[in-house]
């Protein structure tokens, strides 16, 4: 067994870090001298510390290690890979949004004013983080494919946004959605909307919202804003529009 100081040097940690892991219940010394209080660690604890060190180096949270246990190293690392994939997608989206923001001074986003008669969107509602939205679209698109429907447009309606929690419906106009299992619905009242065509696909949606908000002479009104996805026949890419209610 080695003292805490020698163990720290061996595994490449600080004494403070080892004591912290002990305080939160991640590791325990093999022996504590009852008179001096000195801590000693055997090979088992040293290997445990090395696992924790590796997991932390790759960004695995202490809460995840506490929940699963450091011995589940492979499982934790595979889950971390999934998290990194999601982080990379978010960073890619942020990069595109930044590029679009920098280019706004060079070109204007395509917008138009539409007087809508109002309609009903029916589909699948969710409440949670924005990252959960694609799962609802996957269900909707799966049902569309299963029913063999020819869909020219679909809608993503933001019902409410509080902090990081969004209440959202992915669906179709009600007359077409009657053939689908999803029965959550929202009424889009009649009125005027400013419509912006999104550039750069889904990652460009936040930039489109920002562009509209910063437009001169536009006064928003209380109503649902939504995304409209237009599916041109024979095209592999959707046209995405942002609809925001205006006075």
């Amino acid at each position: 067994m080695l003292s805490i100081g020698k163990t720290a040097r061996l595994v490449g940690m600080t004494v403070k870090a080892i004591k912290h892991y002990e305080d939160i219940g991640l590791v325990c010394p093999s022996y504590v001298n009852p008179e001096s209080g000195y801590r000693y660690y055997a090979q088992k604890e040293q290997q445990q510390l090395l696992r924790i060190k590796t997991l932390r180096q790759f960004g695995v949270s202490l809460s995840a290690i506490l929940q699963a246990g450091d011995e589940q190293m492979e499982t934790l690392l595979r889950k971390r890979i999934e998290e990194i994939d999601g982080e990379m997608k978010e960073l890619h989206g942020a990069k595109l949004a930044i590029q679009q923001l920098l280019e706004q001074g060079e070109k204007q986003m395509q917008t138009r004013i539409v007087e809508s008669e109002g309609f009903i969107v029916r589909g699948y509602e969710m409440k949670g983080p924005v990252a959960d939205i694609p799962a609802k679209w996957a269900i909707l698109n799966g049902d569309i494919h299963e029913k063999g429907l020819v869909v020219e447009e679909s809608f993503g309606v933001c019902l409410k946004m509080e902090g990081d929690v969004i209440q959202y419906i992915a669906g179709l106009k009600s007359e077409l959605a009657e053939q689908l299992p999803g029965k959550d619905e929202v009424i889009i009242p009649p009125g005027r909307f400013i419509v912006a065509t999104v550039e750069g696909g889904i990652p460009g949606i936040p930039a489109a919202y920002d562009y509209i908000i910063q437009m001169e002479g536009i006064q928003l009104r209380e109503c649902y804003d939504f995304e409209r996805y237009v599916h041109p026949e024979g095209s592999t890419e959707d046209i995405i529009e942002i609809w925001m209610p205006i006075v």
Side-chain angles (χ1 to χ4, degrees):
M1 290 186 292
L2 297 178
S3 67
I4 189 171
K6 289 183 178 179
T7 296
R9 288 193 294 274
L10 177 68
V11 301
M13 283 185 181
T14 64
V15 170
K16 182 178 179 181
I18 295 176
K19 287 182 177 180
H20 175 63
Y21 294 151
E22 180 182 340
D23 290 339
I24 64 176
L26 265 181
V27 66
C28 293
S30 179
Y31 172 73
V32 178
N33 188 308
E35 296 181 0
S36 64
Y38 290 167
R39 298 171 172 83
Y40 294 89
Y41 297 83
Q43 185 180 31
K44 178 183 176 181
E45 289 75 44
Q46 292 156 7
Q47 291 173 343
Q48 185 180 13
L49 287 168
L50 282 174
R51 288 195 298 271
I52 296 171
K53 174 186 173 183
T54 300
L55 290 167
R56 295 294 290 141
Q57 283 177 334
F58 288 115
V60 179
S61 67
L62 285 176
S63 60
I65 300 173
L66 277 167
Q67 185 175 1
D70 57 276
E71 292 183 353
Q72 301 299 316
M73 186 170 178
E74 181 177 348
T75 300
L76 288 166
L77 288 176
R78 290 189 183 281
K79 185 176 180 181
R80 180 59 185 146
I81 288 175
E82 295 176 359
E83 293 174 348
I84 290 173
D85 286 339
E87 292 167 5
M88 290 174 66
K89 289 179 182 178
E90 290 181 4
L91 287 172
H92 180 65
K95 177 183 176 181
L96 291 176
I98 291 171
Q99 289 174 334
Q100 290 172 1
L101 181 63
L102 293 174
E103 292 170 0
Q104 280 181 11
E106 302 174 9
K107 61 181 180 181
Q108 298 296 312
M109 188 172 290
Q110 181 181 345
T111 62
R112 67 184 190 277
I113 304 294
V114 175
E115 188 77 36
S116 172
E117 297 180 355
F119 54 94
I120 299 173
V121 172
R122 182 177 297 159
Y124 300 94
E125 182 177 343
M126 60 78 64
K127 185 176 182 181
V130 173
D132 289 350
I133 291 177
K136 294 300 178 183
W137 279 103
I139 295 172
L140 175 64
N141 291 328
D143 287 343
I144 291 171
H145 178 74
E146 183 179 339
K147 296 291 185 180
L149 299 180
V150 177
V151 175
E152 296 180 354
E153 59 182 356
S154 54
F155 300 86
V157 185
C158 178
L159 305 179
K160 187 185 293 184
M161 187 81 179
E162 295 180 349
D164 295 331
V165 176
I166 187 172
Q167 190 172 354
Y168 180 97
I169 285 182
L172 310 176
K173 284 188 175 180
S174 58
E175 53 269 24
L176 188 57
E178 288 178 356
Q179 304 178 55
L180 302 179
K183 298 302 179 184
D184 299 313
E185 66 177 37
V186 57
I187 299 173
I188 307 295
R192 279 161 45 93
F193 290 81
I194 182 164
V195 182
T197 302
V198 176
E199 300 175 3
I202 291 175
I205 289 176
Y209 274 106
D210 293 345
Y211 183 87
I212 292 174
I213 292 171
Q214 296 180 59
M215 289 180 67
E216 297 292 337
I218 294 297
Q219 184 178 350
L220 301 177
R221 61 182 171 88
E222 282 292 335
C223 185
Y224 301 115
D225 58 84
F226 56 89
E227 306 145 17
R228 176 175 179 251
Y229 296 84
V230 184
H231 316 291
E233 187 176 354
S235 175
T236 58
E237 294 186 1
D238 294 341
I239 297 171
I240 306 175
E241 297 176 342
I242 297 301
W243 288 53
M244 293 190 71
I246 59 173
V247 175

